[in-house]
Each structure stands twice: as structure tokens, then as C-alpha cells.
Amino acid sequence: AYSGGAHCCMQAITVTPVAGQFVVGELGTYDGDSVPIEDIDGDGAFEVMIPDGRFFYTFDAYALSGAPSVIHRFRDGVPYDASGEPEFAALNTEDLQLYLDGCPGEDGYYLGQCAAMLAIAARLGQYETYFAPVAAALNSGTRPASGWDDFQICETDDCKFTDFTLAVAEALRRWGYLAD
């Protein structure tokens, strides 16, 4: 289902046979044109891995944004987010390494890359380790490489942030990467 715009969206619905019936599940909408279905962890069951589209345009321009992978497993035919399960720690660690080059990048901090890196770090229980140097650099006056510094992460107008460190922490809490 195309909703319009330059980068949006495919609606993904799953249909899984369970006990002689079909169970319909919702993966949501994401930027893409196919649903990659594979046995990611080698256990004989298929998973679906798609990017977490909430990160696009939230902290930086689309081209500069990062998006952590969301790994969906199925329980009784219904998809659920299994991204933080221990068997995917190595995959999360690989993804974390991808975003380290953009946070900071050659030209400075790409906050979209930083946000993805921090989300994955939170998933791995290492948020504070990776957050501290980013916060220190930004608090010392380092400007984002793209110039973005106004973050809207809520559904209401009274929830606008101009500080990346506050915005990313709020977003990661709302999106389940960080505990309240």
C-alpha cells in the first residue's frame, strides 16, 4: 500500500497456518518493496527482518538516517519483535558496528546514525557506554553534520525537542529500546 511521498510504504501482513487454520498478523508498514523471509538464526523457523522505519526523518534527513533491524518471529502465527533475544546479539553487534562510522562521521555527527547506534546499544545493554561520548561532543558545541536540530518524535505539538540527547532518550523509551 503506497501512502505517498518519496520513501514510503509497503504494508506487510502475514498469513501463517496454525492448527489447520490461517492466522493473520500485521508486520506494519515500512520502506521497501519486498518482505525478506529467512531462517536468520538457523533454528529451522523463518523470521522476517525489516528496518525500524520510525528512525527515518526523525533525527536526520532520510539519506543520513540509520534504522536498527527489527527481527520478527512468530508465536502461534502472530509476529512479535524478537530483536533483543540473546540469539540475535551477534547480529545486533554487527549492526552497531555499521553505525559507528556515522557517529561521528568524517564531517561530524550524523544524528540519524547516532540514534540507530544508540538504539542498538540499548538493545545490547550498552546504551550509557555509547551515549556518553555523543552527549559530551554535542554538549561541547559540536553541531550536527546535516544541521538538523529540531526533533519531533511525538504525536502532539507540545512534544518538540531541540536537544538530541533528550529527544533520542525519549524516542528510545517510547519505542521500547530503553526501559522507563
Side-chain angles (χ1 to χ4, degrees):
Y2 178 66
S3 65
H7 300 285
C8 200
C9 291
M10 184 170 120
Q11 183 177 3
I13 297 170
T14 62
V15 180
T16 309
V18 176
Q21 297 183 356
F22 289 108
V23 175
V24 177
E26 179 74 36
L27 288 176
T29 56
Y30 72 100
D31 183 17
D33 60 357
S34 63
V35 178
I37 301 169
E38 58 185 300
D39 182 3
I40 297 169
D41 60 354
D43 68 353
F46 291 103
E47 291 88 20
V48 173
M49 184 167 61
I50 55 178
D52 188 340
R54 296 174 292 191
F55 286 79
F56 296 127
Y57 291 114
T58 301
F59 298 103
D60 220 328
Y62 182 90
L64 302 174
S65 293
S69 297
V70 178
I71 301 168
H72 295 276
R73 280 192 163 157
F74 298 86
R75 184 180 299 124
D76 297 324
V78 177
Y80 69 94
D81 183 351
S83 307
E85 293 183 0
E87 51 269 43
F88 301 118
L91 181 65
N92 282 312
T93 300
E94 287 175 29
D95 283 354
L96 180 70
Q97 293 301 314
L98 293 173
Y99 293 114
L100 288 175
D101 288 339
C103 184
E106 288 180 16
D107 302 325
Y109 281 82
Y110 293 97
L111 298 184
Q113 301 287 308
C114 294
M117 178 194 70
L118 291 171
I120 297 166
R123 214 183 254 162
L124 292 167
Q126 301 172 15
Y127 178 77
E128 290 300 328
T129 300
Y130 288 90
F131 178 80
V134 173
L138 296 175
N139 288 335
S140 73
T142 300
R143 299 283 303 146
S146 67
W148 284 46
D149 59 3
D150 191 16
F151 315 102
Q152 182 73 33
I153 62 165
C154 306
E155 290 78 35
T156 61
D157 289 337
D158 63 345
C159 188
K160 206 168 217 180
F161 293 87
T162 56
D163 180 291
F164 172 76
T165 59
L166 296 174
V168 75
E170 178 67 18
L172 296 183
R173 273 193 290 282
R174 286 176 181 262
W175 298 341
Y177 287 89
L178 282 176
D180 285 333

